[in-house]
Amino acid sequence: MKVMKINFEDKQSISNTWVRWYLSSQIVWIGKEKNYNEIEKLQNTSFGSFKWLWSDADTVLFHRDNLEFIGAVIKINEPIIVNQEKINISLIEEKNGNIKLSENRNFNCKLSDFTEYFVEDDAILCYSEKWNRIQPSIEIKISPDFSFVIQNDELMGIVIYKASGHLLPDGIHIVEENTHNQPDLRIKLCRFFELIEIMDNDLTQMEESELKNSLLEIYEEVSCYDEPSYKALRDTIFNVLDYM
């Protein structure tokens, strides 16, 4: 399988409202399309990694005529590691615009072998195991809050800034322009991710009971808010408790 090579397009055409993070399924969705059926309709008009839609690889689509990026469905790998430091990417430069496919064909693509949540910055960083974080990279901001990380003309990862504002429950397909989340939402997300990571351990009955109580505490703390981000967190906690 040939490596997907990427070029830069200097015009920005992706709306911030199209950047969606579904916490329950841990999928990042970029673009106008609302579901997989709509994505499937793009098969005859796009190149990219469409053929791997139902596998572990991510879906990253480019317009068949001009090879410009038009949308993506990216599965976030878990566990999400909580990072208390500020986000740091060794950059050659930062650009505003879009990405273009350098060759009109399909490729395999996986951008999220690892995922970190930077609490202070409220940012999600997903990146491939191929990414050398010590070597310089290029960050291409295709919307104010969403970037692709490029290294050696290859896609290496994504960044979502103001990530909690792009958090949505299932069934909502557009992000509100002016999301008014409380500053402590990122702290609650941090606690949630840390608790989810504990679930991978062999827990005693008492430890599992304490874990459930801690999840219930977060659930109750966010129950009074109507914003979509809080609903997404509530729904996800409910699903986790139901699973346990």
Side-chain angles (χ1 to χ4, degrees):
M1 181 64 62
K2 291 185 66 176
V3 173
M4 177 191 290
K5 291 290 187 177
I6 297 298
N7 294 327
F8 172 68
E9 172 72 24
D10 62 3
K11 66 177 183 178
Q12 211 167 40
S13 58
I14 300 297
S15 168
N16 228 17
T17 61
W18 299 349
V19 179
R20 292 158 279 163
W21 173 22
Y22 294 104
L23 187 62
S24 60
S25 55
Q26 287 301 11
I27 287 175
V28 171
W29 199 292
I30 304 102
K32 296 178 181 179
E33 288 66 37
K34 299 179 179 65
N35 53 52
Y36 284 108
N37 290 332
E38 292 186 15
I39 289 270
E40 283 182 327
K41 292 178 182 178
L42 295 178
Q43 184 174 16
N44 296 325
T45 59
S46 64
F47 290 112
S49 55
F50 183 89
K51 290 185 177 180
W52 292 269
L53 181 61
W54 302 111
S55 73
D56 290 337
D58 297 312
T59 301
V60 184
L61 300 178
F62 300 83
H63 197 281
R64 187 173 288 266
D65 293 333
N66 58 26
L67 301 184
E68 290 180 1
F69 171 79
I70 53 175
V73 182
I74 298 167
K75 176 69 176 172
I76 293 181
N77 233 31
E78 297 181 280
I80 296 176
I81 305 301
V82 172
N83 197 321
Q84 300 290 348
E85 299 177 358
K86 294 184 72 67
I87 189 168
N88 181 25
I89 302 173
S90 179
L91 293 178
I92 300 173
E93 59 183 322
E94 178 186 297
K95 297 181 177 181
N96 294 314
N98 202 351
I99 59 174
K100 293 182 68 173
L101 196 60
S102 63
E103 190 177 351
N104 56 353
R105 56 176 290 156
N106 289 320
F107 301 83
N108 196 355
C109 183
K110 197 168 190 308
L111 297 176
S112 56
D113 291 307
F114 305 100
T115 308
E116 296 181 48
Y117 178 64
F118 293 82
V119 183
E120 184 177 347
D121 295 310
D122 188 23
I124 279 281
L125 171 64
C126 302
Y127 55 96
S128 165
E129 62 182 0
K130 292 166 50 179
W131 185 34
N132 186 337
R133 296 184 67 171
I134 300 174
Q135 296 299 316
S137 306
I138 297 174
E139 181 181 359
I140 298 180
K141 294 179 74 72
I142 68 169
S143 85
D145 293 342
F146 184 85
S147 299
F148 280 108
V149 178
I150 312 291
Q151 191 173 66
N152 300 322
D153 299 324
E154 292 182 48
L155 291 178
M156 290 296 170
I158 63 169
V159 187
I160 307 177
Y161 298 98
K162 301 178 184 176
S164 62
H166 294 272
L167 203 60
L168 291 179
D170 294 339
I172 297 181
H173 306 300
I174 194 165
V175 174
E176 296 178 6
E177 286 281 5
N178 299 307
T179 303
H180 300 290
N181 292 325
Q182 300 298 319
D184 65 343
L185 177 57
R186 66 187 67 178
I187 306 302
K188 293 174 173 47
L189 277 174
C190 167
R191 286 169 53 201
F192 172 72
F193 294 141
E194 289 173 338
L195 291 172
I196 293 300
E197 192 170 1
I198 292 173
M199 286 181 64
D200 289 335
N201 301 333
D202 291 327
L203 303 177
T204 65
Q205 191 170 355
M206 180 173 291
E207 288 171 334
E208 185 172 322
S209 177
E210 291 174 353
L211 179 60
K212 287 181 178 178
N213 288 334
S214 296
L215 287 167
L216 278 170
E217 283 180 13
I218 302 175
Y219 184 92
E220 291 170 359
E221 288 170 4
V222 299
S223 62
C224 58
Y225 299 105
D226 295 327
E227 286 81 3
S229 295
Y230 292 94
K231 186 178 187 310
L233 182 53
R234 285 200 302 274
D235 290 352
T236 307
I237 292 173
F238 180 84
N239 291 337
V240 170
L241 289 170
D242 188 52
Y243 170 78
M244 294 175 69

